[in-house]
Amino acid sequence: MNFGILSVKAQKVVTVIDVTKYGAIGNGKALDTKAIQKAIDVAAKLGNGTKVLLPTNHQYLISTLVLKSNIEFYLEGNAQLLVSTKKEDYSVEGSIIANDVKNLKISGTGSINGRALEFMTHYDTIKEIWIPKDWRPKLFILTKCNYLEIKDITIEKAPSWSLHMLGCENVLIDGVKIKNNLDVPNCDGIDPDHCRNVEIRNCEISCGDDAIVVKATQQEIDYGPSANIWVHDCKLETQDSGLKIGTETTQDIYNVVFERCEIKTSCRGLTIQLRDEGDVYNIVFRDINFTSRYHSNPWWGRGEAISLTAIPRNPETKIGKIHTILIENVTGIAENSIRINGTKESRISDIRLYNVNVTLNRWTKYPGNVFDNRPTKAYEGIETHDTPGIFIRHSDRVVLENCSIAWGNTIPDYFTNAIQANNVTGLELINFKGESANPAKYKAIDISKL
């Protein structure tokens, strides 16, 4: 699929603005925000791709920097932005922001250090999670940017979301590395939110929360749907979902392709969580390997291999539909089911799994025998349920072709059928391979009209 995201531009001579010439000290102690902002403002007046240079071998203490149109923000060598831990230093809730700009490039081999643990109160050894203080910034909040490119930089130790793009169009994220703490909550990797024409490629992400997640959050301004998004050739590690859509789905999300990705570990491998009024459709997951496992109780997800759920957020929620989803050439090992779970309020339809091969096993210490429906107040958040290889409920026209379920060496009593389907129409099995986890107790395929 070709979204035609960015065209190659001819080489040109660009003006370079060195932030140290505008008073940036770069010793990691003196606040350099004003000096760097002055350099950004001068570059923006010149435009034409003027490069704001943050020289190597310096650590620049910053609070909120506001990037502008027609510039390149360049972190040279090992240059590092070190975020301030003082709320009073910030003008907004983010460290690097941009609003309604065009032709912005953020690049270089340097990094931004979010100092995550300094925004935490303590580590809860029982829940296995860091507990945040009352305030912590996002690192990047890029809003209504058109022709945005982010290349090669490293983001590390984010205290909250790492790279949030809201209402952006024509975006290329290439070769970005995100190295967050695996036990810090809400430190998402990359969040395209109400964005269109986005390509995310060659990224390596390690984070506690969702690695790459497409959203349509509730906003006072109409930023439009999320559409035409291509994620490929990325390596991911997370305690939440590897590749995900939702849960915020207040507008439509469509024409999204995830392909050629490796998910080293996750709590759900591939995920669509519809909880709001938007529709999610024309989604492809292709050529992906994953591992999905249970984590401690605060973390969302219960080791589901693949999870497509359409569950109202609240009893009064008007919920959209999930339909027209293709999952092909996917292999994984997981502690919980492939789950296609609609509800009476929102049936899931037109789902095709082709050459999907999953092995279910148990290897972590955490309790099993559950599905995770969160976030919802309309249904039980954590639902006690046995673990079939594939679970389908309130769904129509589901095709499983050349798919298989296998069982590992550790098979608890609650591992059951290869396929379990309830209240499903149009289920089609073509060359499916899979036996019951315990043939003496359970059918290989159990289909109920209930």
Side-chain angles (χ1 to χ4, degrees):
M1 187 176 292
N2 180 13
F3 296 131
I5 294 181
L6 291 175
S7 60
V8 177
K9 297 179 181 179
Q11 293 291 322
K12 62 182 179 181
V13 177
V14 298
T15 303
V16 176
I17 302 293
D18 184 335
V19 299
T20 63
K21 306 301 183 187
Y22 288 82
I25 298 172
N27 64 4
K29 297 178 181 179
L31 194 62
D32 283 325
T33 303
K34 289 183 179 180
I36 297 173
Q37 189 63 56
K38 186 175 181 180
I40 291 168
D41 294 343
V42 169
K45 289 180 180 179
L46 296 172
N48 199 33
T50 295
K51 180 181 289 187
V52 178
L53 172 66
L54 287 87
T56 189
N57 297 326
H58 288 80
Q59 189 178 56
Y60 304 91
L61 183 65
I62 63 162
S63 50
T64 300
L65 295 176
V66 183
L67 302 184
K68 305 292 182 67
S69 295
N70 302 310
I71 67 168
E72 178 178 0
F73 189 74
Y74 185 77
L75 295 164
E76 181 188 51
N78 65 356
Q80 184 179 76
L81 299 173
L82 182 69
V83 306
S84 170
T85 58
K86 299 177 181 178
K87 183 178 181 180
E88 60 268 23
D89 289 341
Y90 291 76
S91 58
V92 295
E93 298 298 303
S95 296
I96 309 291
I97 71 168
N99 295 289
D100 200 13
V101 306
K102 61 182 180 180
N103 299 322
L104 169 64
K105 184 174 182 179
I106 302 168
S107 66
T109 57
S111 64
I112 177 169
N113 183 341
R115 305 171 73 175
L117 299 189
E118 296 178 61
F119 291 94
M120 306 292 131
T121 61
H122 67 284
Y123 181 76
D124 189 319
T125 56
I126 296 175
K127 296 181 178 180
E128 299 179 353
I129 193 170
W130 284 94
I131 306 301
K133 295 179 181 178
D134 290 339
W135 182 83
R136 48 184 170 150
K138 295 180 181 178
L139 293 189
F140 287 85
I141 307 175
L142 307 175
T143 305
K144 289 189 68 178
C145 298
N146 194 2
Y147 292 99
L148 168 68
E149 182 176 355
I150 305 176
K151 185 175 176 62
D152 295 334
I153 66 167
T154 296
I155 298 169
E156 57 186 357
K157 301 178 183 177
S160 183
W161 290 9
S162 302
L163 180 52
H164 182 202
M165 297 169 291
L166 175 61
C168 296
E169 299 189 55
N170 303 307
V171 177
L172 175 63
I173 311 296
D174 186 10
V176 169
K177 295 180 176 63
I178 298 178
K179 301 176 180 179
N180 292 342
N181 302 76
L182 285 172
D183 43 13
V184 166
N186 312 119
C187 62
D188 295 21
I190 301 176
D191 295 60
D193 184 4
H194 295 276
C195 291
R196 291 161 296 283
N197 299 337
V198 177
E199 181 177 358
I200 301 170
R201 69 190 188 199
N202 305 321
C203 294
E204 297 181 14
I205 300 174
S206 179
C207 59
D209 220 307
D210 302 318
I212 299 176
V213 51
V214 180
K215 296 177 177 286
T217 57
Q218 186 68 51
Q219 299 289 334
E220 294 181 2
I221 298 172
D222 183 0
Y223 288 105
S226 287
N228 300 340
I229 296 173
W230 183 23
V231 178
H232 63 98
D233 299 289
C234 294
K235 295 182 179 180
L236 312 171
E237 179 180 19
T238 174
Q239 289 198 175
D240 214 302
S241 293
L243 297 167
K244 179 180 174 183
I245 293 174
T247 67
E248 297 91 337
T249 47
T250 63
Q251 286 187 281
D252 290 356
I253 299 176
Y254 59 91
N255 294 354
V256 180
V257 175
F258 301 99
E259 63 181 342
R260 298 192 304 276
C261 291
E262 178 184 351
I263 302 170
K264 181 180 178 181
T265 187
S266 63
C267 75
R268 295 185 181 104
L270 317 179
T271 309
I272 300 176
Q273 284 181 279
L274 177 69
R275 296 295 182 271
D276 304 298
E277 61 267 34
D279 292 336
V280 176
Y281 59 95
N282 290 352
I283 311 298
V284 176
F285 295 94
R286 176 190 294 129
D287 299 325
I288 297 166
N289 299 317
F290 70 87
T291 296
S292 183
R293 48 159 287 189
Y294 282 86
H295 292 89
S296 54
N297 189 46
W299 297 99
W300 284 8
R302 287 296 179 266
E304 296 96 337
I306 298 168
S307 183
L308 314 181
T309 59
I311 302 173
R313 187 178 295 276
N314 300 298
E316 64 276 10
T317 298
K318 177 184 177 182
I319 188 168
K321 302 286 186 184
I322 296 174
H323 68 87
T324 318
I325 311 297
L326 172 63
I327 303 173
E328 65 176 352
N329 301 331
V330 169
T331 302
I333 181 170
E335 293 196 289
N336 207 338
S337 309
I338 294 174
R339 189 179 179 206
I340 302 171
N341 197 150
T343 52
K344 62 181 185 297
E345 296 89 350
S346 179
R347 296 181 70 87
I348 295 176
S349 64
D350 300 290
I351 310 298
R352 183 169 186 256
L353 276 62
Y354 177 80
N355 195 25
V356 174
N357 303 285
V358 172
T359 298
L360 273 73
N361 202 5
R362 280 307 314 263
W363 63 90
T364 66
K365 63 183 180 180
Y366 308 101
N369 201 27
V370 294
F371 285 151
D372 191 347
N373 297 324
R374 296 174 295 178
T376 180
K377 294 181 179 178
Y379 287 82
E380 189 178 15
I382 300 295
E383 175 186 354
T384 300
H385 203 286
D386 63 290
T387 304
I390 301 173
F391 178 73
I392 310 170
R393 177 163 60 184
H394 292 293
S395 299
D396 307 299
R397 297 181 299 281
V398 177
V399 178
L400 308 177
E401 182 175 359
N402 294 345
C403 295
S404 70
I405 292 294
W407 306 98
N409 296 325
T410 303
I411 301 178
D413 290 342
Y414 55 82
F415 276 18
T416 58
N417 320 99
I419 298 175
Q420 185 182 123
N422 301 328
N423 200 327
V424 173
T425 67
L427 175 61
E428 188 174 357
L429 307 180
I430 303 170
N431 193 30
F432 175 79
K433 296 179 181 179
E435 301 296 333
S436 166
N438 187 336
K441 294 177 64 176
Y442 308 111
K443 301 176 183 177
I445 298 174
D446 188 354
I447 299 176
S448 169
K449 295 181 179 180
L450 296 177

